[in-house]
Each structure stands twice: as C-alpha cells, then as structure tokens.
Amino acid sequence: MTTTVPTHVQQQPRRVRPRHYLMCPPTWFDVTYAINPWMDPRLPVDRERAYAQWSALVAAYRAAGHRVDLLDPVPGLPDMVFAANGATVVDGRTLGARFATSQRAAEAVAHRAWHARFGVLYGGRALADPVAVNEAEGDFAVLSSVVLAGYGFRTNLAAHAELAALTGREVLSLELVDPRFYHLDVALAVLDSDTDQVAYYPPAFSARSQAVLADRFPDAVLADDADAYAFGLNAVGDGRNVFLPVGAGHLRDALEARGYVCVEIDTSELLLGGGSVKCCTQEIRPARSEEGDPR
C-alpha cells in the first residue's frame, strides 16, 4: 500500500536519486533453525505468500525508478532472501561478507561470485575478501559523509577497520545492546544517504552510542517501541520515498510530516525469519562521478 503525503504537511521538497539494488527471490525461504530472537522453527512458513510479499517490494522499487538485479537462490540456504547481508558496496569497492553463524556461511560464496561476474557493470574497483566477521549491510549503513557500523552481536569491530581501509570512508562504530535488534539495520534506517538523514531507535544502542548519534544527527527521526518491534526501521530510503513494513504507524506519520512518501509493504511472512524490507535489499553503490555525485 502506498501512502501519499498531503501537500500541507510537506516541509521541504524531496529528491529521488535512482538506486541499484541486488535482491534474491525467497524460492527456498523457510525457518528451520533459530539464529535470532524472531525465528521460531515451530511456526509454519507460507513460501508462496513470502514470494508475493517480496515481489511486491521489487515492484515498488521498480515503479519508483530503481534498478533491481536478481541473485539466483541456492537450495539449502533459506535465508538468502535477506540479500543485504551478502556484501557491502561503497564507491564501487566491495567487501564480501563473513557470516557469524554457520547456517548462512555459504551465502557469502554466492554473493562473491555475483560481484566478481557483474562488478564491471557497476564500475567495480575492488572486491575484497573479509578477514573479520561482518554481516555486510545488516551492520553497515552508508551515508555521504560516513559509514555507520554496528557491533555487539554479529559484525566484529575489526571489520569496521577493514571497510574503512577499503573505501577510505570514515566508519563510525555503534554498539548494539538489545539482542532483538541484533543488526544495525533493525535499529537504524537511512532515509536519504545524500543528505545524511536517518531514523533510529535509541534503546537499541548503548548509552555512549546514543550520545554519539544524538550529537551527529540532532535532526534524526526517533522511532518508538511499537515502530521498532514492527521492524519499521528495517526500511530503505531513496531521498524521497521510504519503503518500510506495515505496522510502524508512529514512524510513518513522523516521516510524512517531514515530506517523505511512505511506501508500506506487507512483509509479515518474511518477518518470521527476522527480516523485512532492508534485509531483502543490498544496494550497489558505483564509483563517485567526476562531477561530485555524493554516491
């Protein structure tokens, strides 16, 4: 369902910059193990429904003018639909993933093969194999001036230094303290990477990291408990549109009040695996142009 912002609540014009996403169909999606607090193997999964929800997200991206490439799903890897965890691409430089759990380890191989084959199409400059554990865009949020990097449950602090060395970007480490928000992308959302606009849920972070966020992003949108538990921060922003799961009403209203268009997607079946909109979406960020494109 798409919610259009009434003119009278728009605070400033928002600009869409076309994005390039990599996604993987939930062909083999299932919950046969529990590696996060949201997974329960006792609950049945409706794979057909999951596929329909994922397809609606793909259609919404394409309708907004974004490019979506597809990664072939691999039998026996039920979490491959959560493509955000497979690699991080910044300025055409790609850091592969190294998963914290054995159940997902083989996904990194499939992602590396895709980037090795197709990196030339997006101006790939380098493809680095990780040394430290990192779960890619699950814990890396890329802005124009900085990469926000989560740690505490999955990605190791040492991986933050690897990404900084590969990309030459500042990497700002943020400690996650609530196991329900085990990845940064369920505690913080990038609304507009070009202007460094974010939304986040303060209780997911340590007191020190909350202070860092408040200082660095004084105008951030703050999510409430209901938003966070509905996975509302597992969202994707393109500068104007914010694609987010159904159920985060407070967050939706706050975003609309700031001039964003909220595109709500039903991801209830995918939530059984502990993921939603952002988890399904890996962004391919090409090299910056000579004209100073902030990508």
Side-chain angles (χ1 to χ4, degrees):
M1 179 179 73
T2 302
T3 303
T4 303
V5 181
T7 302
H8 69 276
V9 301
Q10 291 185 353
Q11 300 299 312
Q12 58 181 302
R14 300 288 177 183
R15 181 178 67 89
V16 175
R17 176 169 56 77
R19 312 294 171 121
H20 180 186
Y21 299 133
L22 178 65
M23 302 178 68
C24 183
T27 306
W28 308 107
F29 176 63
D30 205 348
V31 179
T32 58
Y33 46 75
I35 56 174
N36 67 59
W38 306 97
M39 301 176 81
D40 185 346
R42 297 171 299 178
L43 298 178
V45 170
D46 186 334
R47 194 174 290 165
E48 184 176 340
R49 187 170 184 232
Y51 199 98
Q53 293 176 353
W54 174 88
S55 297
L57 177 58
V58 173
Y61 284 152
R62 288 174 170 162
H66 304 306
R67 172 179 172 180
V68 178
D69 285 345
L70 301 182
L71 177 69
D72 291 334
V74 177
L77 298 178
D79 283 333
M80 273 191 76
V81 64
F82 303 129
N85 303 126
T88 304
V89 184
V90 183
D91 300 335
R93 301 179 185 277
T94 303
L95 179 64
R98 182 177 177 187
F99 286 88
T101 58
S102 61
Q103 292 92 336
R104 299 194 66 183
E107 294 179 39
V109 177
H111 280 270
R112 191 192 191 287
W114 189 92
H115 286 282
R117 180 178 180 185
F118 296 109
V120 64
L121 299 180
Y122 61 81
R125 295 177 170 181
L127 175 56
D129 292 321
V131 176
V133 169
N134 87 78
E135 296 203 344
E137 289 194 318
D139 278 318
F140 294 138
V142 182
L143 302 172
S144 68
S145 63
V146 65
V147 179
L148 305 180
Y151 73 97
F153 296 104
R154 298 293 181 85
T155 296
N156 291 345
L157 268 171
H160 299 185
E162 285 184 60
L163 188 66
L166 177 67
T167 64
R169 296 281 193 104
E170 177 191 4
V171 176
L172 183 62
S173 298
L174 300 169
E175 183 182 12
L176 298 164
V177 295
D178 186 330
R180 291 169 296 184
F181 306 102
Y182 56 95
H183 276 149
L184 183 66
D185 72 355
V186 293
L188 181 146
V190 176
L191 307 174
D192 186 345
S193 59
D194 296 343
T195 59
D196 290 359
Q197 300 296 306
V198 303
Y200 66 95
Y201 178 57
F205 299 91
S206 68
R208 182 177 180 181
S209 292
Q210 287 183 45
V212 169
L213 285 165
D215 179 67
R216 193 73 177 248
F217 304 100
D219 296 326
V221 176
L222 301 183
D224 66 13
D225 292 351
D227 295 328
Y229 301 147
F231 269 59
L233 290 164
N234 197 240
V236 171
D238 64 15
R240 180 174 182 265
N241 303 295
V242 179
F243 304 86
L244 75 167
V246 172
H250 167 266
L251 179 61
R252 180 199 62 221
D253 292 346
L255 294 174
E256 291 180 347
R258 296 197 184 196
Y260 291 100
V261 175
C262 289
V263 183
E264 295 182 288
I265 306 293
D266 179 7
T267 59
S268 53
E269 205 67 26
L270 296 168
L271 284 169
L272 295 174
S276 186
V277 173
K278 175 55 190 169
C279 286
C280 292
T281 312
Q282 180 184 139
E283 184 168 350
I284 308 299
R285 302 174 186 84
R288 300 187 193 209
S289 69
E290 294 180 359
E291 291 73 23
D293 189 322
R295 289 175 294 182

